[in-house]
Amino acid sequence: MNFSFRKLLVFLSFIATGFPSLAQTVTNLGTYLTPQEAKRLYTDSVVRHTSFRPYVLNDNDSLFLNKDSSSHITWGGRKLFDEHLLQVVKPEYKLYLDFLPDFQVGSDLKNDRTTWVNTRGFLIGGNIGKSFSFYTSFYENQGVFPLYVDNYTRSVGVLPGQGEVRNYGDHGFDYSSSQGHISYTPSKYLNFDLGYDKNFIGDGYRSLLLSDVAAPYPYVKLTASVWKLRYMMMWSQMIDRESPRLDYQNGYRKKWGAFHYLDWNISKKVSVGLFENIIWMDADSLGKRGFDWSYLNPLLFFRPVEFANGSPDKALVGLTAKYKMLNKFTWYGQFALNEFTAKEFFSGDGYWANKWGTQIGFRSFDIFGIPNLHFQGEANIVRPYTYTARIPVVEGVAVSNNGKPTNNYTHFSQPLAHLWGANFEEFLGIVNYTYKRLDIRGQFSYGYYGLDPEGLNYGKNILKPYDTRVSDYGNYIGQGITTSLYYGDIKIAYVLNPKYNLRFETGLTYRNEKNDVSPSKTTILSIGLRSSFRNLYYDF
């Protein structure tokens, strides 16, 4: 943590302490939502701001909280099925500790490959009084993954959603990850959150604005709630692995992100939101820029500030919307805009800088009148070169001397929005059925996108600079090596302990990537003992 970031923390802490009394806290489950929690959020009579994750709870959110209860008399029965492994519950505070295993073994049938994961993790959390909560988790892992995951990981050096890997044995990886946060609520109007974690904006399975597919990152976040409005301000520091390291002591180059998101519950049925983000580089070829205090402005509209700075910083703006058509049926959507030229935007000639993405989807609960049978459908479309950046130049010197930009919309070589990057269309459906402790989940998706031939940039890989684009005009979704992806995944689990999601689980995954150059098929059978409140995405 450098000197500028410490000053930022002190400043925000000073602001937070000026508000007395309570009513918000941040869930310790991060961006993960169980089907039961999603149902409560979207079908309860209370009008909620559902497009923030981790979700910020109010006083009237007791329905959402996981209550303490047990149907087992013995200590062993309670610990295995109902309670945290260790817990201390007092009127003034509550502490808990859980062991989080993820032991899986499977077979990649098409590639004659045995897959396995050996994860030992722990989670410590709790609250002190009504205004202070915290959690931290750590995972030590080894594993052998399906061939398509293995190939992707070796190409970027990072396992999706986690961290850097080291070789383990002949085909495996050794890696670790950790995350956590401290939440302080001085008043019912304000929550202060300091963390090393992930964040998510939107109501969908995917997000085109800010998602949880990348590795955790450090951030400072303020969330203010008043009337029908909820406003999030966040400042974060990202890692740029693509540029050469500065030196051994400083490690990878850093970049900063500033985020604003305003959500307005217009009525009991309709909500809309405004999003904006700026990414800027921390270090250039001539010295350190550090934290830019111009972006400390807590109000909207970064773009005029960025223009006034004369900077090459990367801007992303977006809209969200939600319409609760029926009590158990909700539409949602997003629109992300990376660059806008009015004349070219409406001309329909495939101008490269028409960089935008759109999402539409729905959530439905208790479908066909069957309790706890839920379905979610979603479509995502992102044009080529969206989320990309150019190679910054300072006084004629390229900042990144290996041909890649530093301020694209990525962290740790992974997208901050959709896992697929850009230049794609995706259609997916997720069905979930829960009966007592039996949990069944099926996901089915189809998408198409354009991969890059050797040495060319057709706009899917957002790590590449848009300076190397193949054409200014005539760009379309799927250009390049047009590829179709069929993906299906079914998991059947028995939940042993809902407190830390301990479950016996078996699954079947089918993946078929079709093109004229390098088609591949994967069928995976797996079984394991799992426990986690993490979203890990391998559907790419």
Side-chain angles (χ1 to χ4, degrees):
M1 185 181 296
N2 63 35
F3 178 69
S4 295
F5 199 49
R6 283 198 296 269
K7 289 194 292 185
L8 173 63
L9 297 183
V10 172
F11 176 78
L12 294 174
S13 299
F14 175 76
I15 292 176
T17 55
F19 298 83
S21 172
L22 159 75
Q24 295 181 9
T25 186
V26 176
T27 61
N28 288 336
L29 304 186
T31 59
Y32 182 92
L33 283 178
T34 68
Q36 295 84 353
E37 290 163 348
K39 178 182 176 180
R40 293 166 188 163
L41 280 174
Y42 286 89
T43 64
D44 188 40
S45 59
V46 177
V47 180
R48 304 177 188 276
H49 297 278
T50 58
S51 55
F52 294 78
R53 284 184 255 159
Y55 187 69
V56 181
L57 302 177
N58 288 327
D59 280 342
N60 57 14
D61 278 310
S62 59
L63 175 68
F64 182 74
L65 298 174
N66 196 359
K67 298 181 176 61
D68 293 323
S69 62
S70 178
S71 58
H72 296 83
I73 299 175
T74 65
W75 180 89
R78 294 196 306 272
K79 293 302 175 183
L80 180 60
F81 295 105
D82 299 307
E83 296 180 354
H84 295 289
L85 179 62
L86 296 174
Q87 63 181 35
V88 179
V89 180
K90 300 292 184 181
E92 301 83 9
Y93 61 89
K94 178 179 179 180
L95 303 174
Y96 58 86
L97 181 147
D98 291 311
F99 174 65
L100 305 179
D102 190 353
F103 304 138
Q104 299 179 64
V105 63
S107 178
D108 184 347
L109 301 178
K110 295 290 184 180
N111 298 290
D112 192 25
R113 181 185 182 94
T114 298
T115 63
W116 54 269
V117 174
N118 177 10
T119 295
R120 294 85 60 207
F122 70 84
L123 172 69
I124 300 174
N127 60 272
I128 301 174
K130 294 183 177 181
S131 60
F132 184 83
S133 64
F134 68 94
Y135 91 97
T136 183
S137 62
F138 176 80
Y139 300 88
E140 177 61 31
N141 320 263
Q142 292 82 37
V144 174
F145 292 86
L147 189 60
Y148 78 97
V149 178
D150 185 279
N151 290 338
Y152 174 86
T153 302
R154 294 186 187 280
S155 69
V156 298
V158 175
L159 189 66
Q162 299 185 73
E164 277 192 324
V165 297
R166 299 173 294 275
N167 288 328
Y168 184 84
D170 294 333
H171 305 291
F173 298 121
D174 180 274
Y175 56 100
S176 60
S177 61
S178 62
Q179 52 202 86
H181 80 152
I182 298 171
S183 172
Y184 174 59
T185 305
S187 84
K188 67 179 181 180
Y189 303 110
L190 185 66
N191 176 262
F192 177 76
D193 189 13
L194 171 64
Y196 184 85
D197 209 335
K198 306 180 183 184
N199 293 271
F200 190 99
I201 297 294
D203 290 282
Y205 174 69
R206 309 286 198 188
S207 176
L208 305 184
L209 301 177
L210 178 63
S211 78
D212 56 354
V213 303
Y217 45 84
Y219 67 85
V220 175
K221 181 168 60 176
L222 294 176
T223 303
S225 301
V226 61
W227 188 52
K228 299 180 181 180
L229 304 175
R230 178 164 288 179
Y231 186 41
M232 181 273 285
M233 301 152 281
M234 184 172 73
W235 300 267
S236 63
Q237 190 179 66
M238 310 293 184
I239 297 292
D240 174 31
R241 291 184 68 257
E242 303 305 309
S243 298
R245 295 191 183 202
L246 295 172
D247 52 50
Y248 180 79
Q249 287 76 18
N250 290 306
Y252 292 119
R253 291 178 184 262
K254 308 296 191 302
K255 56 185 178 182
W256 294 88
F259 302 81
H260 290 163
Y261 180 60
L262 174 66
D263 189 52
W264 178 21
N265 287 332
I266 298 176
S267 70
K268 292 183 178 181
K269 292 182 175 292
V270 179
S271 299
V272 296
L274 298 174
F275 172 88
E276 66 170 353
N277 160 260
I278 287 284
I279 298 288
W280 73 95
M281 54 188 175
D282 184 44
D284 58 31
S285 61
L286 303 178
K288 277 203 169 185
R289 176 181 174 183
F291 185 84
D292 191 329
W293 292 88
S294 301
Y295 297 131
L296 194 60
N297 172 22
L299 302 178
L300 287 169
F301 311 125
F302 278 137
R303 194 62 174 174
V305 177
E306 184 264 348
F307 181 77
N309 288 347
S311 67
D313 302 334
K314 191 65 181 171
L316 177 69
V317 297
L319 300 172
T320 65
K322 181 183 67 175
Y323 173 53
K324 190 174 181 179
M325 189 169 71
L326 301 170
N327 183 51
K328 296 183 179 180
F329 189 98
T330 298
W331 290 100
Y332 61 84
Q334 291 185 346
F335 181 75
L337 184 62
N338 200 186
E339 199 156 333
F340 179 74
T341 305
K343 178 182 176 181
E344 304 288 359
F345 187 85
F346 296 104
S347 65
D349 54 8
Y351 185 53
W352 74 274
N354 287 341
K355 298 186 290 182
W356 54 263
T358 187
Q359 174 191 89
I360 186 169
F362 65 87
R363 290 176 177 266
S364 56
F365 303 92
D366 299 340
I367 58 176
F368 308 123
I370 301 175
N372 298 320
L373 177 61
H374 314 316
F375 184 75
Q376 180 177 7
E378 186 173 298
N380 297 286
I381 301 172
V382 179
R383 279 189 51 79
Y385 306 110
T386 305
Y387 309 116
T388 61
R390 65 184 176 89
I391 301 175
V393 176
V394 179
E395 296 186 6
V397 180
V399 172
S400 176
N401 61 17
N402 66 347
K404 295 184 179 180
T406 61
N407 58 344
N408 48 23
Y409 202 57
T410 64
H411 163 59
F412 227 70
S413 301
Q414 302 162 83
L416 285 170
H418 198 293
L419 180 63
W420 292 10
N423 189 16
F424 69 85
E425 293 189 6
E426 178 195 34
F427 307 90
L428 63 88
I430 300 173
V431 61
N432 185 274
Y433 176 65
T434 303
Y435 178 74
K436 296 183 178 179
R437 299 203 177 203
L438 177 68
D439 184 67
I440 303 174
R441 182 188 185 275
Q443 177 184 339
F444 310 94
S445 61
Y446 163 76
Y448 71 92
Y449 41 81
L451 298 174
D452 290 337
E454 184 69 28
L456 297 176
N457 178 10
Y458 280 94
K460 183 179 188 299
N461 186 350
I462 66 176
L463 295 175
K464 295 181 178 180
Y466 61 64
D467 311 66
T468 61
R469 58 188 177 272
V470 293
S471 176
D472 285 349
Y473 293 92
N475 295 283
Y476 60 92
I477 294 175
Q479 66 181 6
I481 304 173
T482 302
T483 303
S484 297
L485 177 65
Y486 301 86
Y487 182 89
D489 179 72
I490 299 175
K491 288 184 170 58
I492 302 174
Y494 180 80
V495 180
L496 292 171
N497 193 321
K499 284 291 187 182
Y500 50 104
N501 201 23
L502 181 65
R503 53 176 55 206
F504 281 119
E505 182 178 277
T506 183
L508 172 64
T509 301
Y510 172 79
R511 180 183 183 273
N512 185 1
E513 188 178 40
K514 301 175 64 175
N515 58 41
D516 295 331
V517 178
S518 55
S520 66
K521 290 184 178 180
T522 302
T523 302
I524 306 161
L525 287 170
S526 64
I527 188 170
L529 175 68
R530 312 190 65 192
S531 175
S532 159
F533 289 109
R534 298 183 295 170
N535 291 322
L536 298 177
Y537 302 90
Y538 299 114
D539 49 349
F540 61 90

